[in-house]
Each structure stands twice: as C-alpha cells, then as structure tokens.
Amino acid sequence: MREENSEEGRPAAGPYDPSQVEEKWYSYWLEKGCFSASPREDARPYCIVIPPPNVTGILTMGHVLNNTLQDIIIRWRRMEGYETLWLPGTDHAGIATQNVVERALLKKKVRKEELGREKFLKEVWKWREEYGGTIIKQLQVLGCSCDWSRERFTMDEGLSKAVEEVFIRLYNKGLIYRGNYIINWCPRCRTALSDEEAEHVDTQGSLYYIKYPIQGTQKHVTVATTRPETMLGDVAVAVSPKDPRFKHAIGRMAVLPFLRREMPIIADDYVDPKFGTGAVKVTPAHDPNDFEVGKRHKLEPVVVMNEDGTMNENAGDFAGMDRFDCRKKLLEALEDRGLLAKTEPYEYAIGHCYRCHTIVEPFLSEQWFVKMKPLAAPAIEAARKGEVKFFPKRWNKVYLHWLEGIRDWCISRQLWWGHRIPIWYCNECGEIHASASRPERCKKCPSRSLRQDSDVLDTWFSSWLWPFSTLGWPEETEDLKYFYPTSLLVSAHDIIFFWIARMVMAGFEFTGRAPFAHVHIHGIVRDEIGRRMSKSLGNSPDPLDIMEEYGTDALRFTMTLLTPTGQDILFSSKKLDTGKHFANKLWNASRLAIANLEGFDPSRVSQKSLTLSLEDRWILSRLSRLTKETGRNLTTYRFNLAARCLYEFAWGELCDWYLELAKIRFYGDKESPGYQSAQFVTHRVLDSLLRLLHPFMPFITEEIWQRLPGSGESIVRARWPRSSKALVDEEAEEQMLVLQRAVSAIRNIRSEMNVAPSRKASVLIKADSRTLGILKENEGSLKFLCRVDRAEISPSVEKPRLAASSVSEGMEIYMPLEGLIDVEVEQRRLNKELEKARDDLQATLKKLTNRDFVMKAKPEVVERERQKLKTLETVTNKLERHLGALGASEG
C-alpha cells in the first residue's frame, strides 16, 4: 500500500498527526492478514497467549503496559521469521459479570431470583453479546497484533469441554473432594472465595478483652479478640500448655456470656502466650485456626451467621442483626455486665472480597476443593530445573515460596454464571456421579432421578487451562502439536498465585509439559506518588483519551521507556510528552531524509561501489551496535533499555549528527559520489531504524516506511535487521567523537557568549597531532555545523587578546569576540548575572551554615540546598571566566 502525496510521498509538513494514520493502517493489517498464524513446516513457532481480560473490563493503564510489552515481543519475533501466534480472548469473570448483570436488572426492578437460573443466564449471555467485546476493540486501538480469528472465551464450547474433562479426571483421581471447611465468604456476593481472592488490607482496629466466668468460682478467664460478635459461636477457651498462669484452669469449664453455654478450657500448642492475655476463644465455625484446634479436640462447631452476614438463630438475642451491628450491641451489653475488661487499638490485616471489597467472613461451609500438593510437586521441580524461567529472576523465589506452602484450593462458587460443577447426585440414595452430561441412571441404585450440583467453578478453574485449552485440548489438534508449549507469558506480579503457578501445575498434570518456557513479570502502574490507580481515587486516566490526545505510538513508547525491569511504574500524563516529541522528531527527520531520496533505488546500489565519508562509516557502525543491543535487550525482556537505546540513537545520533552532516552533500552536487553515498546510507539507516522501532511504535513506522523507496507490502512482515561485525568501525567512532567534541565546545561558546545564531564566527584550534589530522580532514563539517567561516587548526595557535575559550581532550579552542558581539553590552549582561549568582550563593551558604536549619529541616530539603550551592558555584565560576575573556574585571 504505497502512500503518495503532492510532495513525492514524503511525510506531510508539520507535527505528526496520528489520527490520519492509526485506523488506516490497522484496517490494512487486518485486511492483509498480517497477524494470522498457522502451523508451518518451514518456520519455528512462537506463541503467546494473552492474559484474558475480564469480559466486563475496559482498557486500563495496566492493560496498556501488559499488552504493549506482549505486542513488542510478538512483532519482533514475527519480523525475525517465526510463525508467531498471539492468541487473544476474554475471561467470563464469574463474580464480576454476575454482579454487573444483577445491577442492570435491579435498575429495571428485577431480581435474579424472580427470573430463575435459566432466564438469568440468558440475560448474562445477552449482556456478553452486547458489551463483552468492548475491551477487544480497545486492544485493537492500542495496535495489538493478535490473530483475532482465533479469539477465545473461557465459556465457549471448546473451553467448557476442557473444564469438564479436567474436573472429571481430577475427581476420578481423588484430587477433587467435597468437605466442610473454613473458607473465605463474601456476604455481599454470597459466595466462597479462594485464599488469593481475599485481599488483605492493614486496618486500624481494636483488640477487645472479654471476661468469661469460670464455672463454680468467682474467677474469670479473660480472652482477647478482634471480632467479639463471633464469641457467640465459641465452644472452648484455649491456653498454651507451657503457660504457668493457666495451669490451674486447664480442664475446668468456662461459661459463655449471654448464651450460658459451658465450654472446656483446653491446652493447645497453637496458642501464643504473648498474644493478649495468653488465653484465646475457640470458634471453629468462624476462624481457620480455631477450626483446626476444634478438630484436634473433637469440638462441635457452632455457626452463628447467615450467608448474608446477619446473625442466625444460634446468636440468641442478637439473631437477625447485621454482624457489625451485633458487635456494637454486644460490646455495650458486655460493658453493662462488667465483662469488657478493656479495649486497645490494634492494627491487623482484614480480608476483603477482591471484586466488591466487602469484608470477608471466615465461614464453615461445605465446598469443593482441589488437593494441590500433588499437583505442585512437578511445578516446583520445573522452576528449580529452569524449565520455567522467570524474568527478573527474583520472582522465581516468590513463586516457589507460595507453591511450597500451598493449601488446597476451594473451587466451588455459589453463583449462577460460570461452569456448572459436573457432579450429579442421586435423589434416592445420594450417590455422587462425575459426568459432563446427566447420567441415564444411578450407578449404585436403579433410580433415574438425578440432580446437578447447583454451584459453579471458580473462574480461575478455566483460566488455569488457558495455554492448552485455547489450542484445542483435550483433542490432539495440529495447533496444539505446533504451538504448545507456548513461548512466553507476560503478566503483572499480582497474579503469580492466582494464575501463573496454577497454569504450570495444570500444564504438567494434563499435557506432561510446562505451558511456557519464560515468564516476564512487569510492575504495577501507579500514579506519580506511588498509589495504585483506581477510579475511586480519581488517578486513573482513560487510555483512549490519552491515545486521542497524544497518539497510540507516543503512549506505547512512553510506557515502555518508563518501565524499569520488574518494578512498578510511576505514571503521569505529562510524561507522555516524551513519546509525543519523539514521534514528531522521527516524523520531521524522515521528511528531510525522504525529500532527498528522490530517484534512489536501493536495489541498484551496492555499498561496495561507494566511497563512504567519516559520518557514513560512523552511523553504520553505530547502527550495527544498536541492532545487536536491541536484540539482546528484547531477548532478556529489558524493554526500557531497548527503548532507551533506540531513542538515543534516533534523536542523539541520526537526527542531531548524521542528518545534519548529510545536508552538506544533499545541498550540493546531486551527481557527485558523495551525494549517492549520503542517499544510500540515509536510506539504509532510516529503513533499519524503522524496523527496529516498529514493535514499539507500529503506526508511525508503517506510515514512514511505506514512503521509503523499495519498501514492501508492510513493515509488519519485513525482516528484522541483522547486526554486522564488518560494519563496526571503531576508528570511525573515535574520529567522530573528536569532531563531536570540537563542535560541542564551539556551540557552547556561542551559546554562553550570546553570539547570535545568524553571525558566522572564526575559531582557532590548538590540537595535538592526532586530533589535528581528524579536524583538518573534516574542517568542512566543522564549519557547517558551527556556523564558522574561518577555522585555523594548528599545533602552535596562540590565544587572541579578546577571545572565549574551551578546553577538550586533545584540543584548545578560541573564538575571537571582537566584532562578533557588542562587548560592552555583553559585559553588562554578565556582570548583572554574576551579581545575582553571588547573592544567591551567599544566601544558600548562609542557610547551610545555620545549624538549626541543617538539624531541623527534612534531609531532602538540606540535600536540595547543597546541590543548589554546587550549581551556583559552577555558574559563578563560569560567569567570572567569561568576563575575563572579555577583558573585564569581575563586578
């Protein structure tokens, strides 16, 4: 798709306008099938499965970072010649989606219970068809090069079949079981949560000291608790067997206030004598540790709450109250009876539902669990042997720590939306059957009356199968054979336990192999003061608004540049100027380059036939190093370093130096060998740079590349550049460095002495023999870049009477000022600046010699003043030197 305009196909004048480019090229890529992938015998596979965003989701800055990094790798590997598959899809997000649809129905004054399960599920599917594709469309706006023809959904037919297959296999193997255990319960969502789904938040609460009478005495045993409302479910008081304070009480009976229930005082090693009074209440139905204590001592649990967080009939006079209302009333009653010994402030972590943020309740409930330790063993071994490698390496320890202490996974959820548990109960004899479809008859008795379990599976039960279920498993498909195991997983660190570790376990259990070779863990996107982004804090910008204002490439490049490997990102919109200015620089530099490539045909020119200048050899050498460094950084997932190298080469070497020097030949004789060399090198360097930048900035690179002579159908499928040792020219780099030092020194003199840009200056350079030869050979370049009309370069130059000077390695540079500037005006200006600098210096010095300031001010404030002092000393010295050059005494 060639892009031509009235200016011979060069980019339009002025700043880059992404709105004219992005939609056009994305549609073109889709039309040409640039992102499609299929098994091929002549290419190596490279596959990434997208971490499936929730079907309820909209694009966040976290999605931008995660998917940009995946896209960089996929586009790079595609250009390297791999058959690359980036497989997209969405997660059905059980709790989140059910909540969204319930809220939508409530606006119509309809409750899900009034509809019934089947009709409600039809409403959810209807919602999914209407709104579920929003985030997919937004990922396309971001430029994601997924094979969209392969989009999957965790509840589509194929994945549902895989979920049923896995459940039944694990059940038949004895790794799935049903039991009464303490689980995390959300009273708002009315469902069980796994340990990882209960997000713990440090909270300033209270520790309540409650006195329990000891039966048959006038004495009390005092216990400490953070949840006094659960005392109504107490069945014992426990103390440490090593605590001498309670030896007399062990074996006696305590009396539960309000309910008058007699409870044994027991000894158990679980009790920490240093916590509270050393005696603790035992509530097996509402605390996971107490549950274990209860099992050891054969204590019968008493559940005192309903599923909605209200107190049940076992709570006596407090029945029907909300749990927190009950806490308030119960504490008042305890105080009235003289049983509340004291209350202390106490900070502790409280679990919250990861979806609705309601405080979760430890709750005794019958649920389905997966035995995890047998599944964890090969996943642990894989990480230790390096079959699964984490980047950065430190996350390997986090992964192993969790797996080594893994607990059984509660997989049942009391929802309607999700994969219904494939368990059937015989209504006659209660026999359990694991089956994907309704059995014809009970396997134990003749009954044909069977009912399915009403619960659904945890959303993550389908997600942990994602790397292979999306490729056709349990069928042995061609896609599965070719693309599995996948190559890389890119994820934030907050779902290592939710998802990554479970996928590794599932991969080994059901395919015998790790699901991916590498895991790149990136940080969380936070605001500039380190807070996690959220709508409630008002610090979460809409990426679509950002892309509209700055352009998608600017957003992608800035996010990549800001991403320290494996660390969190501190983001603010003002940082996007970096990406925007870089896109404009690339656009305008390409305009200059392409304007001077008229008539150039890269297929008809060979480098061997050309005589290359110093700057030609230098930029080709730098390009070869850049190509190697970019590949090395991408191979090790150091995205920010790759972006930084590309930025510095494009701006600091190609634009600031090479293209400026190439103007000498571009503005000269178009028939000269030098002009042809400049064309060849400019084309080669710009073409290679656009290819290297393409994974980071796909839209602008395609737009410019299409205007280059000799470009192909799309840069998406262009070959990745290869570094060449033959092009690395250390001599050219050393010589160019000498020229750059001289030019920079002369430019600094012009700037500091206020020489007008329009005035041409003269310079005298005293140089050693090596520097002399380099500068003499490149005298024309020196004059052009510095706006110098006369340059005297000699080993015996003398400093003129009225001249500014600069010293650099191997050279002394003098610029005569007489006739170049108005000396008297310049002296007055410098004196005025010097006077201010000295005043500021004295004020700062006075502050830093004030002992009170140094001792009382914040350390960062003192350090800032110290840095200010150093800067002012440097400025003062420089101004004094400049005044000396003008023949004036300071002040």
Side-chain angles (χ1 to χ4, degrees), residues 624-634 638 641-642 645:
S624 187
R625 291 185 192 276
L626 172 74
T627 303
K628 184 176 182 180
E629 189 65 17
T630 304
R632 182 188 295 127
N633 284 326
L634 290 178
R638 292 178 295 181
L641 295 183
C645 290

Side-chain angles (χ1 to χ4, degrees), residues 851-868:
R851 183 177 174 81
D852 281 349
F853 171 76
V854 174
M855 296 297 292
K856 294 177 181 178
K858 291 181 179 178
E860 59 267 28
V861 173
V862 176
E863 181 58 30
R864 195 158 56 237
E865 289 298 315
R866 285 178 178 148
Q867 292 302 319
K868 183 181 175 182

Side-chain angles (χ1 to χ4, degrees), residues 389-408:
K389 291 182 180 176
F390 281 80
F391 297 82
K393 286 182 181 178
R394 69 176 184 274
W395 293 110
N396 193 58
K397 290 182 181 178
V398 176
Y399 164 91
L400 285 172
H401 178 74
W402 184 75
L403 281 177
E404 286 162 356
I406 199 166
R407 295 168 61 178
D408 287 355

Side-chain angles (χ1 to χ4, degrees), residues 36-198:
S36 62
S38 56
R40 286 170 46 198
E41 291 183 4
D42 61 340
R44 289 180 295 169
Y46 192 92
C47 180
I48 298 176
V49 291
I50 199 170
N54 287 349
V55 71
T56 57
I58 57 171
L59 199 66
T60 65
M61 295 305 293
H63 290 124
V64 168
L65 175 63
N66 177 263
N67 288 283
T68 294
L69 299 183
Q70 290 178 81
D71 198 38
I72 287 170
I73 293 294
I74 276 292
R75 287 180 183 269
W76 166 53
R77 290 301 192 185
R78 186 182 289 122
M79 295 173 79
E80 279 206 317
Y82 288 85
E83 184 65 7
T84 53
L85 170 60
W86 187 11
L87 200 153
T90 51
D91 192 293
H92 67 277
I95 296 176
T97 305
Q98 180 157 320
N99 284 345
V100 166
V101 178
E102 279 189 59
R103 285 197 297 269
L105 288 171
L106 284 173
K107 287 179 181 178
K108 302 175 186 177
K109 298 184 178 178
V110 177
R111 295 176 68 251
K112 76 176 193 297
E113 289 79 10
E114 294 166 3
L115 287 177
R117 186 169 195 144
E118 295 309 314
K119 286 185 179 179
F120 175 75
L121 289 177
K122 285 181 181 178
E123 289 293 323
V124 182
W125 279 106
K126 184 178 168 185
W127 182 93
R128 188 253 173 181
E129 291 302 314
E130 193 169 348
Y131 301 107
T134 299
I135 196 163
I136 294 298
K137 294 183 181 74
Q138 292 173 336
L139 289 172
Q140 293 176 345
V141 174
L142 185 62
C144 295
S145 59
C146 301
D147 184 347
W148 298 108
S149 68
R150 293 173 173 269
E151 184 184 339
R152 302 303 300 267
F153 179 52
T154 50
M155 281 187 64
D156 68 28
E157 187 178 349
L159 270 64
S160 295
K161 181 180 178 183
V163 166
E164 291 168 345
E165 178 75 17
V166 163
F167 184 97
I168 293 165
R169 285 194 194 186
L170 292 176
Y171 179 83
N172 290 337
K173 200 173 178 180
L175 292 179
I176 285 182
Y177 65 94
R178 187 175 61 157
N180 266 307
Y181 288 92
I182 289 283
I183 48 88
N184 300 291
W185 182 266
C186 175
R188 157 64 184 80
C189 300
R190 298 199 193 181
T191 185
L193 303 172
S194 68
D195 290 339
E196 294 72 36
E197 290 169 326

Side-chain angles (χ1 to χ4, degrees), residues 406-441:
I406 199 166
R407 295 168 61 178
D408 287 355
W409 175 15
C410 175
I411 56 170
S412 47
R413 298 292 180 270
Q414 289 64 52
L415 303 170
W416 287 353
W417 172 246
H419 295 100
R420 197 162 174 182
I421 292 177
I423 286 290
W424 302 82
Y425 304 98
C426 175
N427 288 323
E428 297 295 328
C429 69
E431 181 68 12
I432 295 176
H433 307 71
S435 173
S437 58
R438 180 189 294 272
E440 286 189 16
R441 64 174 66 239

